[in-house]
């Protein structure tokens, strides 16, 4: 995740909160958390494979 994506997410959350749309902000945050958790981390995957190979 790069800086621009983080700023866009924070801006969107701020917009929801400024409008008093707390439920929408909560749903948006949960949706983004799921998207972030699904992303593959190439460095982490490489390290996991390396550790498996060492075993």
């Amino acid at each position: 995740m790069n800086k621009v994506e983080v700023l866009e997410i924070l801006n969107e959350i701020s917009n929801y909160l400024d409008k008093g749309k707390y439920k929408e902000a909560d749903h948006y945050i949960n949706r983004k958390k799921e998207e972030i958790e699904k992303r593959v981390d190439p460095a982490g995957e490489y390290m996991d494979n390396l550790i498996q190979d060492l075993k």
Side-chain angles (χ1 to χ4, degrees):
M1 176 173 282
N2 61 36
K3 295 174 191 176
V4 174
E5 289 176 312
V6 172
L7 289 175
E8 288 173 354
I9 291 170
L10 293 174
N11 188 36
E12 191 65 32
I13 293 169
S14 178
N15 288 338
Y16 281 123
L17 296 178
D18 288 344
K19 295 176 185 176
K21 297 182 176 183
Y22 303 112
K23 277 191 173 184
E24 288 87 346
D26 184 51
H27 291 295
Y28 180 79
I29 292 168
N30 289 329
R31 199 169 57 241
K32 286 298 176 181
K33 280 183 4 183
E34 288 177 11
E35 288 176 19
I36 292 168
E37 289 173 356
K38 290 180 183 177
R39 290 187 183 180
V40 175
D41 177 21
E45 189 174 309
Y46 172 78
M47 292 302 293
D48 291 342
N49 291 335
L50 186 61
I51 291 169
Q52 287 298 324
D53 290 343
L54 291 173
K55 288 182 180 180

